[in-house]
């Protein structure tokens, strides 16, 4: 796999290692302390090189170079929200993503290192990188968009490492026999008349074998992006919460404009009409001065005015939500949607995720469900419906547990009255 034609040609990108390097890698490390110190030194060097590319705010007390002095510099950079904000603002500039972008070159060379903690840093910025790249590729003014070879080089580095790890083999899953009472029942081996074993579980192809790529072509872009998202999902338990929230926000924007379909599984929106007031229960707007009781229309023009006003309010409400979201609407083939939904499932149901992550994933899943219903995609509809139902049940359980905790605490704090002594009446 040769990536030298992508303007980045670090010495670490050579696919054929030096014989002495291969021999050193084959022999076990004699001193674990020495290997640890080499890892720390490499991480410190990468942080100092990044600090030379980014200029911190002079009014801020945060210094990127200070992270290099910690005992675990790579993990300190990964868990620093200030560092993430600083690099994100630099990557979000209009001139970023080109082949000569030094930040993209830093991400590219950092991911090619053998340190797994340094690779985690690059993966934590993958949501932002994908959001910027896909939004610029599919934006309406894509003709005037500058070269994005820097973003593509980072994606190809992630894709190439996954191609090497899979070694040309597909990713398979075993589908259990649904005819059995449960997943824990192991049927006896029974052969049919042709001598084949009918008790073997069927095997499904989760991902076909990957082909090496030296450029991001339009026909191969969904596969490359999907593999990058799959690599992010494999390490999602170590990703910071702000990285997950950013991916959920971009997923909401990728699904497209908000519509009422996303709330279909949460209960239909009903308009209550009483005493001349129209109030949408969950819609966010309120209409007064209209008499629409029992279906009797006082004036046909008045009814049209009400409908027109409701449509205007709905458009304004949707426009506000879209303007606050990131990215643009993009095509969502199954190669991208499948790993994206696995990430959304972790963000929804992960027990260690913060409430911000769960709320952002909940909004994203509902928008993806609306997108699937509009595109008539059965796989997307079934997957998103399942995630929405699981999210609803998890929130109901959490709400019930919180109510039970409040009741138990209130009962414990309530002072109990002293019982009066019992008096028995005895007849003489």
């Amino acid at each position: 796999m040769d990536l030298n034609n992508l303007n980045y040609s670090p010495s670490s990108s050579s696919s054929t290692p030096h014989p002495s390097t291969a021999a050193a890698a084959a022999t076990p490390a004699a001193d674990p302390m020495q290997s640890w110190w080499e890892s720390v030194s490499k991480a410190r060097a990468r942080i100092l090189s990044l600090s030379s590319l980014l200029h911190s705010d002079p009014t801020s007390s945060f210094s990127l170079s200070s992270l290099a002095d910690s005992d675990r510099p790579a993990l300190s950079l990964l868990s620093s929200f200030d560092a993430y904000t600083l690099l994100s603002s630099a990557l979000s500039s209009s001139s970023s993503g080109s082949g000569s972008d030094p930040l993209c070159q830093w991400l590219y060379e950092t991911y090619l290192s053998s340190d797994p903690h340094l690779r985690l840093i690059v993966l934590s910025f993958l949501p932002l990188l994908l959001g910027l790249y896909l939004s610029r590729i599919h934006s309406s003014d894509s003709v005037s968009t500058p070269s994005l070879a820097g973003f593509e080089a980072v994606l190809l580095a992630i894709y190439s490492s996954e191609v090497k790890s899979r070694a040309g083999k597909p990713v398979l899953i075993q589908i259990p026999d649904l005819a059995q009472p449960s997943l824990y029942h192991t049927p006896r081996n029974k052969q049919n008349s042709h001598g084949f074993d009918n008790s073997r579980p069927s095997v499904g192809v989760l991902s076909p074998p990957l082909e090496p790529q030296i450029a991001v072509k339009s026909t191969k872009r969904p596969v490359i992006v999907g593999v990058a998202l799959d690599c992010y999902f494999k390490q999602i338990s170590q990703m910071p919460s702000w990285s997950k929230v950013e991916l959920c926000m971009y997923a909401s924007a990728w699904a497209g404009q908000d519509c009422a379909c996303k709330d279909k599984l949460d209960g239909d929106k009903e308009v209550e009409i009483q005493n001349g007031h129209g109030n949408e229960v969950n819609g966010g707007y309120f209409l007064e001065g209209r008499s629409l009781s029992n279906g009797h229309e006082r004036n046909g023009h008045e009814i049209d005015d009400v409908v027109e006003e409701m449509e205007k309010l709905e458009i304004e409400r949707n426009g506000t939500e879209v303007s606050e979201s990131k990215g643009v609407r993009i095509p969502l083939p199954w190669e991208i949607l499948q790993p994206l939904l696995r990430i959304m499932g972790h963000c929804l149901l992960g027990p260690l995720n913060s409430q911000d992550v769960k709320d952002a994933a909940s909004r994203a899943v509902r928008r993806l469900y609306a997108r699937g219903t509009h595109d008539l995609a059965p796989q997307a509809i079934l997957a998103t419906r399942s995630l929405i139902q699981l999210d609803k049940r998890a929130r109901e359980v959490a709400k019930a547990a919180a109510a039970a905790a409040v009741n138990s605490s209130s009962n414990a704090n309530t002072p109990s009255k002293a019982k009066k002594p019992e008096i028995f009446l005895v007849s003489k």
Side-chain angles (χ1 to χ4, degrees), residues 302-316:
E302 188 177 4
I303 303 302
D304 296 336
D305 293 339
V306 174
V307 175
E308 183 178 358
E309 186 174 354
M310 293 175 66
E311 291 176 352
K312 289 181 180 179
L313 289 171
E314 184 71 16
I315 292 173
E316 292 174 1

Side-chain angles (χ1 to χ4, degrees), residues 11 14 21 27 42 95 117 136 148 154 156 192 197 199 204 245 252 275-276 284 328 346 361 389 394 420:
S11 59
S14 177
T21 306
T27 58
K42 185 184 298 184
S95 60
H117 294 159
R136 295 178 184 179
L148 301 176
V154 179
L156 282 176
N192 55 17
D197 187 2
S199 63
V245 170
S252 300
N275 301 326
V328 298
H346 169 85
Q389 296 293 347
K420 295 181 179 181

Side-chain angles (χ1 to χ4, degrees), residues 21-85:
T21 306
T27 58
D31 188 4
M33 183 61 67
Q34 181 180 0
S35 61
W36 171 83
W37 178 248
E38 291 177 355
S39 177
V40 170
S41 301
K42 185 184 298 184
R44 288 180 176 176
R46 298 307 303 165
I47 293 177
L48 292 177
S49 63
L50 178 62
S51 177
S52 63
L53 299 177
L54 301 176
H55 301 285
S56 303
D57 187 1
T59 61
S60 176
S61 60
F62 171 73
S63 176
L64 187 61
S65 59
S66 62
L67 299 177
D69 299 331
S70 62
D71 296 336
R72 298 184 298 175
L75 294 180
S76 298
L77 178 59
L78 178 66
S79 58
S80 174
F81 179 72
D82 294 328
Y84 185 89
T85 304

Side-chain angles (χ1 to χ4, degrees), residues 29 204 228 263 363:
D263 298 323
R363 290 189 294 268

Side-chain angles (χ1 to χ4, degrees), residues 6 10 53 75 105 191 215 294 324 345 363 370 409 414 425:
L6 291 174
L53 299 177
L75 294 180
Q105 184 174 0
Q191 295 183 353
N294 298 327
E324 294 176 355
R363 290 189 294 268
S409 61
T414 302
L425 300 178

Side-chain angles (χ1 to χ4, degrees), residues 15-28:
S15 59
T16 305
H18 194 270
S20 59
T21 306
T27 58

